[in-house]
Each structure stands twice: as structure tokens, then as C-alpha cells.
Amino acid sequence: MKVLLVGSGGREHAIAWKLSQSKQLKQLYIAPGNPGTAEVGINVDIADTNLDGLVSFAKDKRIDLVVVGPEDPLAAGLVNRLESEGILAFGPTQEAARLEADKAFAKHIMRANSIPTAEARIFTHYEDAKMYIASRDEPVVVKAAGLAKGKGVFVCDDPADGILAAEKIMVNKIFGDAGSTIVVEDKLLGQEASILAFVDGRTIYVMESAQDHKPIGEQDTGPNTGGMGAYSPAPIVTDALMDQIIREILVPLVDGMNRNETPYKGVLYAGLMITPGGPRVLEFNARFGDPETQPILMRMKSDLLEVIEAVCRGRLSEVTVEWDPRPAVCVVMASKGYPDAYEKGKVITGLEAAARLKDVKIFHAGTAKRDGQIVTAGGRVLGVTAMGQTIADAKKRAYEAVSLIHFEGAYYRRDIADKALR
């Protein structure tokens, strides 16, 4: 098969790396890709938001399958455009991708289908939101309803901070139109878990569990990011808990989307809080998570291309997926200043030495090639991922690899996977 993968981040490097192992693959193109994806396929200089360019390329090259990585082209309707041209596409339609692109829509779907989540109110006017938050005594979570690259969530223990967050989002427009509507939720207490599943509209195949680390600082302090590291599996997700998640969250969601006439196909990501009262949905994402994809795909033994094609053709029930029982840990190396302003163009050294370590894979995220050297080009630069016999072993190996990689201002959390060890 000739495959076009859309995207340029660490998630896309991991997907490209896994797709490249398939015996069914004839040619892999990545648009726009990064220096890491260039090692396993052919990068194409088309932005992931250039829908016209992507559709034209797929038609010109007679692409058999397009895999859409990031949320922006999904929300913009790339899958709809490709399917209208008769091209097989992996990912939800624009209507179904609203699960991620519109948190207010997601709340309506959850309420309509009795899916456990935090109590919430939705606001389109700042003054209304301000009055509501001011009336609260308990901590609140303020979210931009639209897409904000994982940074649109403010956890506010003091409601006064919640008012400031609402002002930043709705008045100062720090996320642009994505903040025209906000969701104000009760703060949930517990441990987070990420559950990713392949869905073909009817059949659900749950992948191995993972846990992300959203805040920039150790011990989960500071502002939220796109994710500073992840590990798989997450010990907090027992077999019994996974059964409950499937029964109370995933099945009602897929059924509800069908009743809503927005059938879901692709990867469904449920970001959960495991509370004393059971699992609660924090958010749904309409694609592979980043950085959860890196450790999850490191552990996947089966042919990813075969699974993706089965999803697209509605034949997911016909495939089985095998997993390596060994855990994997991913540590994100970020640019100094991330998630706020950061500098680019810092030369990265030590990549080859780190990649030579056993059971280690360096996934590129925000990198570029300049004058023959790999340099930083984004906030999250690399996802250093390692497998081990235990989570402690995988963590040790990941940080050993991190210690070999250097660039000016490199920042990373040193406590990734500590929750699992506790």
C-alpha cells in the first residue's frame, strides 16, 4: 500500500516508525514530517493544515490510505474531503471530531448518554462566567471549548484564579476563537489515565493503558503542556477498572455518537480521572495522544497498518492485536521557556549515542535539519522512549538516554513514571 501520514510531531514519528515495519507497506509519505520521519519514509513539504494540497497530493500519487495524525486537519474536515474523492482515510469525520474540537459538544454527548464526568457549566459570555465562578467556594477547572494544543485547561484551586483564567481565554483571547466558549467544571481528585481505543463505528478495540504528565513541573506543578512524558501500562488501570471504563464510558460514547448521526471511526482517546467514586472523563481526543503514542506503539507487536486498514473498512472485529508485556516510558525533552515563548535553532547532539542503547527509540517532535545538523524547532523537541522488564527499568533506561542528549536550554521532568513506582 502507498500511505500518506499527515503531521509532524512526536506522535507522527512514532506512527511512521511503526507503519514502516509493515509488510503491506509499499511507500510511506509524511506531510510535512520531521527529521525523524525522514529516516523511515519520504517527507513532503505540505503543511498539515493545507487540505487542498494534501488532497491533491493523495490523488496525484494514487495514495491508497491517508492516516491523519493531528487534531487540526481532523477538525477542518480532511477525512471528509478525502472520502469524497474515494480515498481511504483513517480518522473521524469533521462532525465526529467535534468530540475534541468542541468541549461543549462533548459535554452534551456525555450528558445525553449518562457518561460519568465532572459537573460543568458552559458559557459564551465572560460576565456570565465571572458571576458563576465568583459564586463558587470549591476549586474549578476552566477550559477553552476549542482546540488549544493541550494548553487550554486551567486548574484553579482558588475561584479568583478561575475568574482570571476566564478573562485570559474569553477577553484577552489567548487562544483566539478557540476561547469564544468556555467550560467551567468541578475539579476532580484522583490519578489520571489515558485510554486509547481503535473504533470502526461499531467495534471497539482498547489499546494498552498509559498515563500522561501534563504540567510542566515535577510533582505536577505549573501550567499545563501538551504532555511532558508518559508510561504504559498504567498500574492504576486494573482489569476490573478497564472493564468498567469500557462498559460505562467507551460503549455508551460510541453508541451515542451513532444515535447522534456522527458515527466515530479512528482512534478514540479518553482522558480520565480515576476518582474514589470510579473513572470520570476529563476530555475526549479524536486521535492518538502525544506523548502516550510513543510508549504504546513501542509495546505493539502487531502490524499497525493492518489494524488501521481494518478500522477504515469496518472490519476491526477480524483483527487481533498483540502487545509486548514489557512496560515503556517516554520522557519529553523540551525547549527552555516552553509552554510559553521559547527559542529555536539550538543544535542537538548525542542522538546517535542515545539511539544505540538497547530498547531505546528517540522520537523527533520539534526538530529540523539545518546545515547537516539537527536543531530544535518546537516547544517539545524529543520523546526519548525506552522499554524494560519493569517500569523502574524502563525509566532508568529512558533517563540514561536523555543524559546523552544535549541542546542549549534543554528541559525535562525527572519524575516521569514515579506515580507508577509508588
Side-chain angles (χ1 to χ4, degrees), residues 269-286:
Y269 169 132
L272 308 177
M273 184 69 80
I274 311 304
T275 75
R280 301 286 185 268
V281 177
L282 295 172
E283 64 178 3
F284 285 116
N285 291 331

Side-chain angles (χ1 to χ4, degrees), residues 132-154:
Y132 172 72
I133 298 169
S135 73
R136 298 292 305 270
D137 296 323
E138 301 294 319
V140 294
V141 179
V142 181
K143 301 179 177 181
L147 296 175
K149 303 293 181 190
K151 302 170 195 170
V153 177
F154 295 82

Side-chain angles (χ1 to χ4, degrees), residues 98-303:
R98 285 185 68 197
L99 262 187
E100 175 173 8
D102 183 352
K103 289 182 173 62
F105 171 79
K107 279 292 180 187
H108 290 312
I109 288 287
M110 284 187 269
R111 284 173 181 163
N113 294 281
S114 303
I115 294 169
T117 185
E119 285 297 315
R121 295 278 295 273
I122 296 163
F123 297 96
T124 54
H125 298 288
Y126 167 68
E127 290 298 331
D128 294 341
K130 178 182 176 181
M131 285 177 59
Y132 172 72
I133 298 169
S135 73
R136 298 292 305 270
D137 296 323
E138 301 294 319
V140 294
V141 179
V142 181
K143 301 179 177 181
L147 296 175
K149 303 293 181 190
K151 302 170 195 170
V153 177
F154 295 82
V155 181
C156 307
D157 290 325
D158 184 342
D161 293 331
I163 293 172
L164 289 174
E167 185 177 13
K168 286 180 182 176
I169 297 170
M170 302 189 85
V171 179
N172 300 339
K173 294 282 187 183
I174 60 171
F175 304 118
D177 290 340
S180 299
T181 299
I182 65 168
V183 178
V184 181
E185 295 182 346
D186 293 348
K187 180 184 176 183
L188 297 174
L189 297 176
Q191 267 202 64
E192 290 191 38
S194 302
I195 304 299
L196 281 70
F198 293 109
V199 180
D200 71 357
R202 298 186 307 276
T203 303
I204 302 168
Y205 193 104
V206 181
M207 299 180 222
E208 291 288 280
S209 64
Q211 190 171 87
D212 187 12
H213 298 65
K214 283 286 187 191
I216 188 71
E218 285 159 29
Q219 309 303 317
D220 288 341
T221 55
N224 271 342
T225 69
M228 292 303 297
Y231 59 87
S232 173
I236 194 171
V237 183
T238 61
D239 290 345
L241 182 59
M242 183 65 91
D243 288 343
Q244 184 181 2
I245 290 165
I246 294 169
R247 184 176 65 250
E248 297 181 2
I249 295 170
L250 299 183
V251 169
L253 188 278
V254 172
D255 285 347
M257 290 294 280
N258 282 328
R259 281 195 298 274
N260 193 58
E261 297 184 352
T262 50
Y264 197 93
K265 181 190 72 180
V267 171
L268 175 64
Y269 169 132
L272 308 177
M273 184 69 80
I274 311 304
T275 75
R280 301 286 185 268
V281 177
L282 295 172
E283 64 178 3
F284 285 116
N285 291 331
R287 35 74 192 177
F288 276 107
D290 189 345
E292 296 96 334
T293 300
Q294 290 85 312
I296 288 174
L297 290 188
M298 278 279 281
R299 298 184 57 216
M300 186 179 188
K301 294 170 74 173
S302 300
D303 185 329

